[in-house]
């Protein structure tokens, strides 16, 4: 069974790196990429990923706001697993 993955990061180099490494795994399919939180929410509803790599420092809605919006959505029966990614060592 293939795992549907969504990547959310405003750094295009990071997105490319994830794509490069994940392309080697036949059990993972990248179904969506987003550069900001608003697009991430829209694509999440369309693509229904099993797993999301989510950067915390993204424009429009940050990663924590994206998670909060997903938790509020009572129409979404199935939730995906979220891996939080951040290069900011000052976050607490």
């Amino acid at each position: 069974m293939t795992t549907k993955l969504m990547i959310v990061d405003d750094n295009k180099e990071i997105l490319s790196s994830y794509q490069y490494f994940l392309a080697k795994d036949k059990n993972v399919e990248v179904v969506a990429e987003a550069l900001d939180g608003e697009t991430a929410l829209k694509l999440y509803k369309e693509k229904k990923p099993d797993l999301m790599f989510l950067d915390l420092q993204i424009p429009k809605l940050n990663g924590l706001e994206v998670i909060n919006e997903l938790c509020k959505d009572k129409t979404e029966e199935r939730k995906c697993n979220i891996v939080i990614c951040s290069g900011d060592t000052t976050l607490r």
Side-chain angles (χ1 to χ4, degrees), residues 2 7-8 11 13 18 23 25 29 32-33 36 38 43 51 54 63 65 67-68 75-76 85:
T2 302
I7 304 169
V8 183
N11 184 323
E13 291 176 9
Y18 282 138
D25 189 338
E29 176 189 5
E33 294 178 349
D36 64 74
E38 287 179 359
L43 288 173
L51 178 65
L54 177 63
E65 292 169 323
I67 292 169
N68 189 41
T75 63
E76 188 64 39
C85 308

Side-chain angles (χ1 to χ4, degrees), residues 3-91:
T3 299
K4 296 188 302 181
L5 172 68
M6 178 175 174
I7 304 169
V8 183
D9 200 305
D10 60 333
N11 184 323
K12 291 181 182 180
E13 291 176 9
I14 301 272
L15 287 174
S16 294
S17 294
Y18 282 138
Q19 278 283 18
Y20 174 78
F21 288 107
L22 293 166
K24 299 175 183 184
D25 189 338
K26 63 183 175 189
N27 297 314
V28 176
E29 176 189 5
V30 178
V31 295
E33 294 178 349
L35 298 171
D36 64 74
E38 287 179 359
T39 304
L41 288 174
K42 179 180 175 250
L43 288 173
Y44 175 87
K45 292 176 184 188
E46 289 176 14
K47 302 296 183 174
K48 304 199 182 307
D50 303 308
L51 178 65
M52 181 188 309
F53 288 175
L54 177 63
D55 184 12
L56 292 179
Q57 301 292 320
I58 52 176
K60 298 187 180 176
L61 293 174
N62 69 39
L64 294 176
E65 292 169 323
V66 169
I67 292 169
N68 189 41
E69 288 300 315
L70 291 175
C71 289
K72 284 186 203 175
D73 187 355
K74 301 301 181 198
T75 63
E76 188 64 39
E77 294 177 13
R78 184 189 60 81
K79 301 291 183 189
C80 76
N81 293 306
I82 299 173
V83 176
I84 297 173
C85 308
S86 179
D88 188 346
T89 58
T90 63
L91 291 173

